[in-house]
């Protein structure tokens, strides 16, 4: 049998690897992912991945079959065979990835074989992932391990981890530790976890395997129905809409009606984002190069935003949806906190920094349900900053198939600020006040787009149910759809079907309404609630969630004042 990397030998591609060996490889720092029972070592691909390295790091030690199929074309999946180092037989049990705090035992042949010979070693399933069907929250007590496990860990020089995060690994510490005191926020976390455990199917292997099986059967049905095929006539209608909006923008600009001109430019940007989103998911031509060019032309050349930044951000969002520590799409401190856990100054694994609950956050979060809509009106300015940071720091891949993306995007930004900043704002508008008005109107008109983006997730669960929850269940638990008539689909641009999109990201948006009935049937079969709200009701849910966290912030502030006062009184 092939041994781990620590023994010096390299296993052949078809060698059967044990879970214990794979754990040892991850402990040695290798990027190991399981896809369709194939063991892939992706270290060499991290710097080349067009979607960024962190989306890969969040599936290390996990069965990422559904994620890989959902995001990649069959041709790309075939090329992944070059990274295969072995195979795994049986049902894979997920580890907690190192980036999320997972800790792993190095593999030492002598220690493990000796333990097997004396018959007292834990089985291969005894691992660094929790073995219960309802893994605890990262905030709560570690699972107790046996004395033998402690001896084996000591003999293997202990556990290794690659990050120090607010969430500890499901590889729990083998040494006894003092139980932490439960705070009000801890109790709230436990309540949310228990609520989800009651509301959604159990996390036992049989139930989750059945959900995955039916999810994959539905994918085959969607393929058979032709719903992955793009209807290009729909994009002809989109082009006509874009042409009308830009024509009206230029017409009113020429007439000197700068406010109306800015209005129609903002509406154009609002509509263009939907097609850029389609291209970013390879949902138009299904060709990596063609869709990338389409996406960059729309996002960078016409919109001044970075498609590469969006991909790096959005892919992680799809993998760890609504996870406070890991999902950048809900990490908006110090302005917004959609979970009480942000009040604990969590560390973001995406931004590699602590989201400090400082004085600014304490003020804004207290009033976030009132500031929500006004602040979103300025959301586009924030996207400029994030795009520039991504391109100037070179955070995207610099090698491989996507090496040219950064330079193409930089050219796009030069083009954008030439036609928009110089050609329209500076040359075509005569005075400073009119320029300011044009810029503000054109950008604030895109505010509803940010409402649409946040609507699908801000009111949904942020609870962590552990590593045993299946991909489809997690997507449906953390995402809502918006109910609207078909004639308004152009206004939502597919964002009203985000739950469906999270299940099958490469389905063209014009086919999502037809897919909805199939997904609703799937949800009925497996017993997963399908969250569907009207636009108004959905907004009420979001504002209600923000208000609830604001109340938690007020309670926390009051508790801190009381403790400080009692402490001061005790010192006298």
């Amino acid at each position: 049998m092939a041994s781990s990397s620590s023994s010096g030998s390299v296993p052949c591609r078809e060698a059967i690897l044990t879970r214990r060996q794979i754990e040892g490889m991850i402990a040695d720092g290798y990027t190991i992912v399981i896809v369709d029972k194939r063991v892939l070592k992706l270290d060499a691909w991290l710097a080349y991945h067009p979607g960024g390295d962190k989306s890969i790091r969040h599936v290390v030690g996990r069965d990422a079959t559904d994620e890989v199929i959902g995001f990649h074309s069959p041709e790309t999946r075939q090329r992944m065979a070059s990274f295969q180092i072995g195979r795994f037989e049986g049902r894979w049990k997920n580890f907690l990835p190192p980036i999320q705090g997972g800790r792993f035992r190095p593999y030492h042949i002598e220690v493990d074989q000796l333990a097997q010979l004396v018959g007292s070693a834990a089985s291969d399933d005894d691992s660094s992932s929790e073995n219960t069907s309802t893994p605890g929250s990262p905030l709560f007590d570690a699972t107790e391990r046996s004395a033998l496990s402690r001896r084996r860990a000591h003999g293997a020089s202990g556990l290794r981890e690659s990050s120090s995060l607010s969430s500890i690994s499901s590889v729990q510490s083998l040494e006894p530790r003092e139980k932490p005191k439960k705070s009000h926020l801890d109790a709230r976390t436990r309540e949310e976890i228990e609520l989800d455990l009651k509301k959604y199917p159990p996390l036992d292997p049989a139930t989750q395997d059945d959900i995955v099986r039916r999810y994959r059967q539905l994918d085959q049905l969607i393929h058979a129905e032709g719903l992955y095929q793009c209807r290009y006539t729909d994009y002809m209608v989109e082009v006509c809409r874009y042409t009308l909006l830009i024509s009206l923008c230029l017409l009113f600009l020429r007439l000197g009606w700068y406010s109306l001109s800015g209005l129609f430019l903002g509406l154009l940007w609002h509509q263009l984002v939907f097609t850029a989103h389609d291209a970013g998911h390879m949902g138009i031509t299904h060709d990596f190069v063609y869709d990338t060019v389409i996406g960059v032309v729309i996002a960078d050349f016409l919109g001044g935003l970075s498609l590469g930044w969006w991909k790096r951000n959005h892919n992680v969002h799809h993998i760890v949806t609504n996870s406070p520590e890991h999902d950048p799409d809900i990490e908006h401190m110090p302005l917004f906190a959609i979970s009480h856990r942000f009040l604990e100054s969590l560390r973001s694994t995406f931004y590699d920094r602590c989201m400090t609950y400082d004085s600014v956050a304490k003020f804004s979060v207290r009033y976030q349900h009132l500031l929500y809509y006004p602040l979103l009106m300025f959301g586009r300015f924030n996207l400029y900053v994030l795009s520039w940071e991504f391109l100037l720091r070179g955070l995207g891949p610099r090698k491989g198939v996507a090496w040219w993306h950064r330079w193409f995007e930089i050219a796009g930004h030069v083009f954008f600020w030439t036609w928009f900043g110089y050609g329209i704002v500076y040359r075509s508008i005569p005075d400073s006040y009119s320029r300011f008005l044009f810029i503000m109107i054109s950008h604030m008109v895109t505010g509803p787009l940010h409402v649409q983006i946040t609507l699908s997730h801000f009111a949904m669960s942020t609870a962590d149910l552990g590593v045993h929850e299946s991909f489809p269940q997690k997507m449906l638990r953390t995402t809502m759809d918006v109910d609207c008539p078909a004639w308004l689909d152009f206004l939502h641009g597919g964002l009203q079907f985000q739950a469906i999109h999270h299940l099958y990201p490469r389905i063209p948006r014009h086919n999502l309404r037809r897919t909805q009935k199939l997904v609703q049937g799937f949800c009925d079969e497996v017993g997963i609630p399908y969250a569907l709200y009207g636009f108004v009701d959905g907004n009420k849910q979001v504002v209600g969630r923000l208000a609830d966290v604001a109340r938690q912030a007020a309670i926390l502030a009051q508790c801190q004042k009381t403790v400080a006062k009692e402490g001061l009184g005790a010192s006298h």
Side-chain angles (χ1 to χ4, degrees):
M1 180 176 293
S3 62
S4 77
S5 57
S6 59
S7 68
S9 63
V10 180
C12 65
R13 291 185 178 180
E14 295 301 321
I16 303 301
L17 300 176
T18 68
R19 191 167 182 275
R20 185 67 187 86
Q21 288 174 311
I22 294 170
E23 180 186 5
M25 293 179 190
I26 299 174
D28 288 340
Y30 294 108
T31 305
I32 307 296
V33 179
I34 311 300
V35 177
D36 196 21
K37 297 189 181 299
R38 294 179 299 165
V39 182
L40 307 182
K41 179 176 173 292
L42 299 177
D43 299 82
W45 182 240
L46 288 176
Y48 298 86
H49 186 224
D53 65 309
K54 295 199 174 182
S55 57
I56 296 178
R57 295 186 189 278
H58 278 292
V59 292
V60 169
R62 297 176 62 98
D63 184 341
T65 302
D66 295 316
E67 290 91 330
V68 168
I69 292 176
F71 282 96
H72 301 88
S73 66
E75 295 77 19
T76 300
R77 299 200 298 270
Q78 289 177 0
R79 289 196 290 270
M80 289 181 183
S82 61
F83 298 100
Q84 182 175 338
I85 61 171
R87 301 186 68 85
F88 179 82
E89 291 185 342
R91 184 185 187 277
W92 177 258
K93 295 180 66 177
N94 289 330
F95 292 109
L96 186 71
I99 192 174
Q100 297 179 17
R103 292 152 57 182
F104 299 81
R105 300 167 296 177
Y107 183 72
H108 292 267
I109 297 177
E110 296 81 3
V111 174
D112 286 300
Q113 286 183 344
L114 179 61
Q116 291 173 7
L117 287 174
V118 299
S120 59
S123 70
D124 188 54
D125 285 340
D126 178 25
S127 64
S128 59
S129 68
E130 295 178 359
N131 293 320
T132 62
S133 61
T134 57
S137 163
L139 296 176
F140 294 98
D141 296 342
T143 304
E144 294 184 1
R145 308 298 295 265
S146 66
L148 174 61
S149 295
R150 287 195 293 271
R151 287 196 299 271
R152 292 180 64 199
H154 180 73
S157 301
L159 299 177
R160 297 182 185 177
E161 60 181 334
S162 62
S163 60
S164 177
L165 308 173
S166 59
S167 59
I168 65 173
S169 167
S170 54
V171 181
Q172 303 296 350
S173 173
L174 305 184
E175 298 298 330
R177 61 177 62 178
E178 183 180 352
K179 292 185 178 181
K181 295 181 180 179
K182 303 295 197 314
S183 69
H184 167 73
L185 297 180
D186 292 343
R188 184 59 181 264
T189 300
R190 173 58 65 186
E191 289 176 6
E192 293 183 357
I193 291 174
E194 291 177 350
L195 179 63
D196 277 4
L197 290 175
K198 293 177 181 178
K199 185 177 180 180
Y200 292 89
L203 301 178
D204 61 274
T207 301
Q208 294 300 308
D209 287 351
D210 182 63
I211 291 173
V212 170
R213 179 180 61 82
R214 293 175 185 269
Y215 165 75
R216 294 174 182 176
Q217 288 176 347
L218 178 57
D219 184 52
Q220 295 174 355
L221 177 60
I222 291 172
H223 273 284
E225 294 287 335
L227 296 176
Y228 276 101
Q229 300 303 313
C230 181
R231 298 181 298 180
Y232 294 107
T233 54
D234 292 318
Y235 281 103
M236 293 178 62
V237 176
E238 301 289 344
V239 171
C240 292
R241 186 179 299 117
Y242 303 155
T243 303
L244 174 63
L245 292 173
I246 190 62
S247 298
L248 290 172
C249 170
L250 295 175
L251 172 64
F252 289 115
L253 181 67
R254 185 176 182 84
L255 293 175
W257 296 6
Y258 304 119
S259 296
L260 279 176
S261 178
L263 170 68
F264 285 108
L265 179 59
L267 292 176
L268 173 66
W269 284 337
H270 179 275
Q271 289 292 305
L272 284 174
V273 164
F274 303 143
T275 301
H277 179 262
D278 299 342
H281 280 291
M282 293 194 301
I284 301 177
T285 69
H286 298 303
D287 181 90
F288 173 71
V289 175
Y290 291 155
D291 277 352
T292 297
V293 171
I294 292 172
V296 170
V297 167
I298 293 174
D300 296 76
F301 283 74
L302 300 181
L305 307 177
S306 169
L307 185 76
W309 162 79
W310 176 85
K311 279 189 174 184
R312 181 173 182 264
N313 179 291
H314 198 66
N315 285 351
V316 173
H317 161 67
H318 270 267
I319 299 296
V320 288
T321 308
N322 265 27
S323 173
E325 299 100 329
H326 313 302
D327 182 359
D329 272 17
I330 64 169
E331 295 177 345
H332 301 295
M333 293 291 282
L335 300 180
F336 299 125
I338 70 165
S339 169
H340 63 277
R341 295 197 59 212
F342 286 107
L343 308 183
E344 302 171 298
S345 296
L346 297 178
R347 180 172 181 80
S348 167
T349 59
F350 184 83
Y351 294 109
D352 287 327
R353 60 176 172 81
C354 182
M355 298 176 287
T356 307
Y357 186 55
D358 55 18
S359 57
V360 176
K362 289 177 181 179
F363 173 81
S364 60
V365 171
R366 288 280 297 274
Y367 302 101
Q368 62 180 354
H369 53 297
L370 304 176
L371 298 173
Y372 174 62
Y373 295 111
L375 287 177
L376 290 187
M377 302 296 284
F378 300 93
R380 192 172 186 88
F381 294 105
N382 181 53
L383 298 185
Y384 288 144
V385 175
L386 294 173
S387 296
W388 296 336
E389 179 188 23
F390 173 81
L391 293 174
L392 294 177
R393 292 180 59 190
L395 297 178
R398 302 189 182 188
K399 303 176 182 179
V401 295
W403 70 268
W404 53 275
H405 290 186
R406 183 191 183 201
W407 305 110
F408 189 36
E409 289 200 84
I410 290 176
H413 280 250
V414 172
F415 180 84
F416 172 79
W417 290 107
T418 300
W419 75 260
F420 173 71
Y422 179 75
I424 291 184
V425 175
Y426 181 74
R427 290 296 302 271
S428 301
I429 302 177
D431 59 274
S432 298
Y433 176 74
S434 297
R435 290 168 183 164
F436 174 78
L437 202 62
F438 178 86
I439 291 173
M440 297 308 296
I441 290 176
S442 62
H443 285 67
M444 293 176 73
V445 164
T446 64
L449 171 65
H450 300 283
V451 174
Q452 291 170 307
I453 292 172
T454 58
L455 180 61
S456 300
H457 299 290
F458 270 27
M460 297 300 288
S461 175
T462 58
D464 178 12
L465 298 190
V467 297
H468 303 308
E469 184 178 29
S470 64
F471 172 74
Q473 177 166 314
K474 182 171 184 177
M475 294 303 102
L476 290 165
R477 184 173 61 84
T478 56
T479 314
M480 76 159 68
D481 278 352
V482 177
D483 192 20
C484 72
W487 64 272
L488 274 180
D489 282 354
F490 82 95
L491 191 61
H492 291 277
L495 298 183
Q496 74 274 38
F497 299 119
Q498 280 296 284
I500 302 168
H501 170 67
H502 269 252
L503 289 175
Y504 305 103
R506 292 187 300 114
I507 294 180
R509 65 176 157 108
H510 300 101
N511 294 338
L512 291 174
R513 182 170 289 277
R514 294 168 58 195
T515 310
Q516 184 182 40
K517 293 182 179 179
L518 299 177
V519 171
Q520 287 175 320
F522 162 76
C523 290
D524 292 339
E525 289 179 2
V526 299
I528 298 178
Y530 175 61
L532 180 65
Y533 293 89
F535 185 75
V536 174
D537 289 338
N539 274 269
K540 290 180 180 178
Q541 293 289 323
V542 171
V543 174
R545 168 63 64 84
L546 294 173
D548 180 62
V549 177
R551 285 191 293 271
Q552 297 298 318
I555 293 172
L556 178 63
Q558 186 60 44
C559 291
Q560 291 172 337
K561 288 181 181 179
T562 302
V563 171
K565 184 180 297 184
E566 291 177 351
L568 183 62
S571 65
H572 289 285

